[in-house]
């Protein structure tokens, strides 16, 4: 397994001038996850936090519901790199394994937006999600969490080439933050940390990307109450958040945000807003 960053010579053109220099790039390598010795999925990721990634991914797919469902997780000794992770389960998985990722297979024939959301809803029920109907956050807390995520993104500061995700308290205090070249991987890593810690669902998840259906699905299965993304939502992400009871916040940046679904969890007005003159 390589490090998280690598150096590479580049030639930069700026304002008619040529500058030859060495840039820092984010490392991208494959990770194969096997369940009980059988291939389950292959993902391209930034090396590091692989065990968290696998726990978060298997939790979101309904294969496990807690860390007790995993007997052991280790890198395969029959490979020359640390890019194959084998998971031995302690019991039968909640959703039968098909040899491929379930969420990634939703684009096949005969499926539509409603069927994808229904499949996620089954995973939410399987995990006995703790409801957070009484969770409320104010816009200032969301801004605080996003500021905390940016401060934690040390690899992004060096490379500009990774996404970040963080779980935070209802007051916007970042509890855990992770980075990865894949935005879904970053989410799996940070939610996987909660699985490993036997921690309760996080009230708030912030992500440095757009709001996709898969990120909404992962947040819902993990019992997150409020998901805030810095960019736009897709139509299916909004539909899924609405039907799954998740508060989806988009365009959360520069003290601005747009509440797309379940606005009752976001207080009107920011607690830190300046008084009108």
């Amino acid at each position: 397994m390589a490090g998280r960053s690598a150096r590479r010579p580049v030639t930069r053109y700026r304002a008619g001038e040529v500058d030859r220099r060495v840039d820092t790039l984010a490392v991208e390598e494959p990770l194969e996850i096997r369940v009980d010795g059988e291939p389950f999925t292959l993902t391209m990721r930034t090396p590091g936090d692989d065990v968290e990634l696998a726990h978060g991914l298997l939790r979101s797919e309904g294969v496990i519901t807690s860390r007790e469902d995993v007997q052991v997780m280790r890198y395969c000794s029959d490979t020359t790199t640390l890019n194959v992770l084998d998971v031995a389960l302690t019991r039968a998985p909640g959703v039968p394994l098909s040899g491929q990722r379930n969420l990634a297979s939703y684009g096949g024939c005969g499926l539509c937006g409603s069927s994808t959301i229904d499949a996620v809803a089954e995973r939410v029920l399987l995990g006995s999600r703790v409801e957070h109907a009484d969770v409320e956050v104010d816009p200032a807390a969301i801004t605080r969490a996003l500021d905390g995520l940016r401060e934690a993104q040390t690899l992004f500061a060096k490379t500009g080439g990774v996404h970040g995700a963080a779980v935070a308290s209802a007051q916007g205090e970042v509890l855990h933050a992770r980075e990865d070249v894949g935005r879904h991987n970053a989410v799996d890593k940070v939610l996987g940390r909660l699985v490993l810690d036997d921690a309760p669902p996080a009230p708030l998840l912030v992500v440095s990307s757009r709001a996709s259906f898969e990120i909404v699905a992962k947040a819902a299965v993990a019992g997150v109450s409020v998901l805030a993304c810095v960019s736009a939502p897709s139509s299916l992400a909004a539909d899924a958040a609405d039907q799954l009871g998740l508060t989806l916040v988009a365009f959360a940046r520069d003290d601005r945000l747009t509440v797309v679904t379940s606005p009752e969890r976001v207080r009107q007005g920011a607690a830190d807003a300046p008084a009108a003159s």
Side-chain angles (χ1 to χ4, degrees):
M1 180 171 64
R4 294 176 1 120
S5 63
R7 303 281 281 170
R8 185 178 183 86
V10 298
T11 303
R12 178 177 295 177
Y13 294 82
R14 179 179 296 176
E17 296 184 357
V18 178
D19 176 25
R20 292 179 176 84
R21 55 182 294 170
V22 177
D23 262 5
T24 301
L25 307 181
V27 169
E28 181 178 26
E29 284 197 347
L31 175 67
E32 179 184 352
I33 298 176
R34 299 175 184 174
V35 175
D36 293 331
E38 296 296 325
F40 181 71
T41 190
L42 178 69
T43 185
M44 302 303 296
R45 95 306 190 192
T46 298
D49 307 311
D50 290 340
V51 171
E52 292 178 348
L53 191 162
H55 275 83
L57 174 63
L58 294 175
R59 174 70 180 87
S60 69
E61 302 272 342
V63 176
I64 66 173
T65 58
S66 71
R67 72 174 187 176
E68 283 73 27
D69 295 335
V70 176
Q71 182 178 21
V72 65
M73 186 177 294
R74 60 193 170 197
Y75 291 102
C76 292
S77 58
D78 59 347
T79 62
T80 57
T81 62
L82 298 180
N83 287 336
V84 180
L85 197 59
D86 196 14
V87 184
L89 300 178
T90 58
R91 62 172 181 80
V95 176
L97 297 179
S98 61
Q100 63 180 351
R101 293 185 59 189
N102 295 305
L103 291 178
S105 68
Y106 282 167
C109 298
L111 293 172
C112 64
S114 295
S115 61
T116 62
I117 297 171
D118 289 344
V120 174
E122 291 180 6
R123 288 179 173 81
V124 171
L125 293 174
L126 178 69
S128 299
R129 187 183 83 163
V130 177
E131 293 293 343
H132 284 286
D134 58 342
V135 168
E136 283 190 349
V137 300
D138 59 44
I142 296 173
T143 299
R144 192 175 303 118
L146 286 166
D147 288 343
L149 173 59
R150 279 190 289 271
E151 292 175 5
Q153 286 191 264
T154 56
L155 186 59
F156 178 82
K158 292 196 296 185
T159 67
V162 293
H163 292 287
V167 287
S169 68
Q171 293 72 42
E173 176 188 2
V174 169
L175 307 175
H176 303 286
R178 297 292 184 268
E179 296 178 279
D180 199 277
V181 288
R183 61 182 184 271
H184 302 145
N185 291 339
V187 171
D188 280 330
K189 286 180 177 181
V190 77
L191 294 180
R193 183 68 260 165
L194 297 181
V195 175
L196 285 165
D197 291 344
D198 275 335
L204 176 62
L205 171 67
V206 292
V207 181
S208 66
S209 66
R210 67 181 178 87
S212 68
F213 164 76
E214 191 167 2
I215 290 178
V216 166
K218 292 177 184 297
V221 172
V224 170
S225 296
V226 180
L227 167 63
C229 301
V230 301
S231 192
S234 69
S235 62
L236 188 57
D239 289 344
D242 193 30
Q243 294 185 42
L244 295 169
L246 178 73
T247 297
L248 176 59
V249 178
F251 301 112
R253 54 178 182 257
D254 300 327
D255 297 322
R256 296 180 293 112
L257 55 83
T258 300
V259 183
V260 181
T261 62
S262 300
E264 65 276 4
R265 290 200 186 98
V266 180
R267 297 190 188 100
Q268 298 296 311
D272 298 337
S277 57

